[in-house]
């Protein structure tokens, strides 16, 4: 499942192409192959977002904060990232390392802390794909490094794993550096708003509160699952008794990843919901002379509501199939 990054994330957010090393053709080959498979890093970002959400397992646990994971779960994160990247990109199994990319053995190392990659002795001389993600700052990075002894510290842990010396991190050939990680909405909400969401007793009431309080931002499917904590969580968003129906009287529309909804979001200058995303916003009818961006919904022009605007029922959004109802 690939959730695209917002259209405004372009080459400006991707590390400038560095001159590939002439003395390491394998690194150049793997670098080129990975950038070909994922030109803007959207697939990597989705894997990292989904992996963090998988570990949090919010539908069952209600967790949304990395700090709430058990130590064993955090330790397991690197393995899950490695597996999920291989599943996404269909990398071949490596001969001595995790993957074989373009015929080259590559080891995958993930760290929750930048620079904290633990390099095993068997990776010496091989390429490592170094991956890092920070859910608190919503950024991630991935780069390639040829492991040689002089780049590593002299650690003394029992499994003989070493870290890359800080002064040698400049030698990492970055594929993507400090690129946007899809936001963990619950983690970044105002604490009072988040508390109000989870104070509701039922999954439906919690979702209604979420879409009311977290307006004008992307809300991913895993956030919906975490808040609803119900198997039929998607039904709780839709019309016919879901959040769309409940919040219409509050003037709130909830746009999904259907093309008609995406176009409305664009016209209103809102974040465009990508696959599995929702974006909610309160709207009012546009009046002559109104300079706010507007969208035509059901034949009428609507704009984003401001605090002083009256609360009026929101329009029905276009159905995405002939049998759907908002």
């Amino acid at each position: 499942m690939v959730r695209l990054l917002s259209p405004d994330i372009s080459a400006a957010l991707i590390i400038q192409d560095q001159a590939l090393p002439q003395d390491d053709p394998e690194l150049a080959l793997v670098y080129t192959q990975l950038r070909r498979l994922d030109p803007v890093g959207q697939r990597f970002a989705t894997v990292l977002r989904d992996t963090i959400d998988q570990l949090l397992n919010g539908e069952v646990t209600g967790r949304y904060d990395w700090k709430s994971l058990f130590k064993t779960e955090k330790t397991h994160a690197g393995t899950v990232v490695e597996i999920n990247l291989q599943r996404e990109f269909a990398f071949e199994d490596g001969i001595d390392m995790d993957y074989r990319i373009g015929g080259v053995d590559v080891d995958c190392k993930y760290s929750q802390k930048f620079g904290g990659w633990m390099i095993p002795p068997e990776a010496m001389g091989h390429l490592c794909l170094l991956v890092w993600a920070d859910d608190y700052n919503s950024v991630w990075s991935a780069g390639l490094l040829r492991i040689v002894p002089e780049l590593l510290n002299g650690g003394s842990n029992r499994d003989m794993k070493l870290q890359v010396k800080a002064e040698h991190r400049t030698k990492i050939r970055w594929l993507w550096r400090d690129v946007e990680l899809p936001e963990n909405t619950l983690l970044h909400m105002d604490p009072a708003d988040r508390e109000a969401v989870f104070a509701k007793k039922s999954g439906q009431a919690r979702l209604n509160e979420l879409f009311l309080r977290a307006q004008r931002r992307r809300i991913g499917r895993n956030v919906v699952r975490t808040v609803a904590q119900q198997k039929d969580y998607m039904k709780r968003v839709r019309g016919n008794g879901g959040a769309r129906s409940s919040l219409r009287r509050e003037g709130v529309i909830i746009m999904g990843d259907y093309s008609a909804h995406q176009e409305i979001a664009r016209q209103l200058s809102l974040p465009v919901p990508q696959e599995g995303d929702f974006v909610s916003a309160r709207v009012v009818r546009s009046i002559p002379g109104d300079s706010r961006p507007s969208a035509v919904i059901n034949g009428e022009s609507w704009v984003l509501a401001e605090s002083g605007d009256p609360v009026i029922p929101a329009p029905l959004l276009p159905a995405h199939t002939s049998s759907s109802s908002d």
Side-chain angles (χ1 to χ4, degrees):
M1 182 177 76
V2 176
R3 183 180 306 115
L4 299 179
L5 293 179
S6 57
D8 57 334
I9 295 180
S10 61
L13 284 176
I14 303 169
I15 187 113
Q16 293 290 328
D17 284 336
Q18 302 157 304
L20 295 176
Q22 300 299 311
D23 59 346
D24 197 337
E26 287 188 341
L27 190 153
L29 187 154
V30 173
Y31 180 98
T32 302
Q33 177 85 335
L34 289 174
R35 287 295 295 264
R36 182 185 65 80
L37 290 170
D38 195 8
V40 298
Q42 64 188 32
R43 296 173 69 184
F44 257 80
T46 298
V47 168
L48 293 171
R49 172 76 273 145
D50 290 347
T51 299
I52 293 170
D53 292 337
Q54 177 184 342
L55 291 163
L56 289 168
N57 193 17
E59 182 181 336
V60 175
T61 66
R63 298 180 302 188
Y64 55 85
D65 190 335
W66 181 268
K67 293 175 183 175
S68 66
L69 294 178
F70 295 118
K71 182 179 179 180
T72 51
E73 292 175 307
K74 293 177 181 178
T75 303
H76 185 54
T79 301
V80 182
V81 169
E82 173 197 324
I83 292 169
N84 288 346
L85 284 173
Q86 185 168 28
R87 182 178 293 123
E88 172 66 27
F89 292 98
F91 296 138
E92 295 179 18
D93 286 335
I95 296 174
D96 297 309
M97 299 290 100
D98 296 322
Y99 311 139
R100 197 155 179 82
I101 303 174
V104 179
D105 258 22
V106 178
D107 210 31
C108 179
K109 293 301 168 195
Y110 173 78
S111 176
Q112 308 142 30
K113 178 182 177 182
F114 185 79
W117 307 287
M118 302 302 295
I119 311 299
E122 59 269 24
M124 198 64 63
H126 289 281
L127 290 178
C128 271
L129 173 63
L130 304 176
V131 185
W132 162 77
D134 182 344
D135 212 13
Y136 297 97
N137 290 303
S138 301
V139 294
W140 66 277
S141 299
L144 295 166
L145 182 67
R146 174 76 65 184
I147 303 301
V148 292
E150 57 267 27
L151 301 183
L152 306 179
N153 63 19
S156 58
N157 49 34
R158 288 183 297 175
D159 54 10
M160 302 295 291
K161 291 183 178 180
L162 306 176
Q163 289 183 312
V164 179
K165 292 178 180 178
E167 63 265 30
H168 291 309
R169 292 175 197 160
T170 56
K171 294 181 174 63
I172 298 170
R173 190 67 53 174
W174 293 109
L175 291 145
W176 305 278
R177 178 72 188 271
D178 292 343
V179 181
E180 178 188 342
L181 181 71
E183 184 187 50
N184 180 338
T185 309
L186 289 170
L187 184 63
H188 291 276
M189 282 181 70
D190 179 274
D193 287 334
R194 186 171 58 233
E195 184 176 341
V197 169
F198 283 105
K200 300 295 183 181
K201 300 300 182 182
S202 72
Q204 184 63 71
R206 290 192 295 271
L207 279 179
N208 293 351
E209 197 71 20
L210 172 70
F211 286 113
L212 191 61
R213 290 177 177 268
Q215 294 186 37
R216 306 188 185 190
R217 62 203 298 178
R218 289 187 188 86
I219 297 175
R221 185 173 296 174
N222 277 307
V223 172
V224 173
R225 292 172 61 187
T226 301
V227 171
Q229 293 187 46
Q230 294 172 316
K231 294 297 182 182
D232 59 349
Y233 62 93
M234 291 300 290
K235 180 181 177 182
R236 305 297 172 179
V237 179
R238 303 187 183 110
N240 295 326
R244 282 198 179 108
S245 297
S246 300
L247 296 184
R248 274 194 67 214
R249 67 178 69 94
E250 305 287 342
V252 174
I253 58 174
I254 302 174
M255 292 151 283
D257 57 7
Y258 323 123
S259 58
H261 293 197
Q262 291 174 326
E263 183 56 31
I264 290 170
R266 288 189 192 96
Q267 292 176 9
L268 293 174
S269 296
L270 288 168
V272 177
Q274 303 299 327
E275 184 179 349
D277 289 343
F278 300 94
V279 174
S280 64
R282 188 168 77 87
V283 295
V284 293
R285 288 185 181 86
S286 179
I287 59 175
D290 198 326
S291 62
R292 286 173 283 185
S294 63
V296 175
I297 308 173
N298 285 346
E300 292 187 286
S301 183
W302 296 80
V303 298
L304 294 178
E306 297 175 351
S307 58
D309 288 323
V311 176
I312 62 173
L316 284 170
L317 292 178
H320 61 285
T321 67
S322 58
S323 61
S324 297
S325 172
D326 279 328

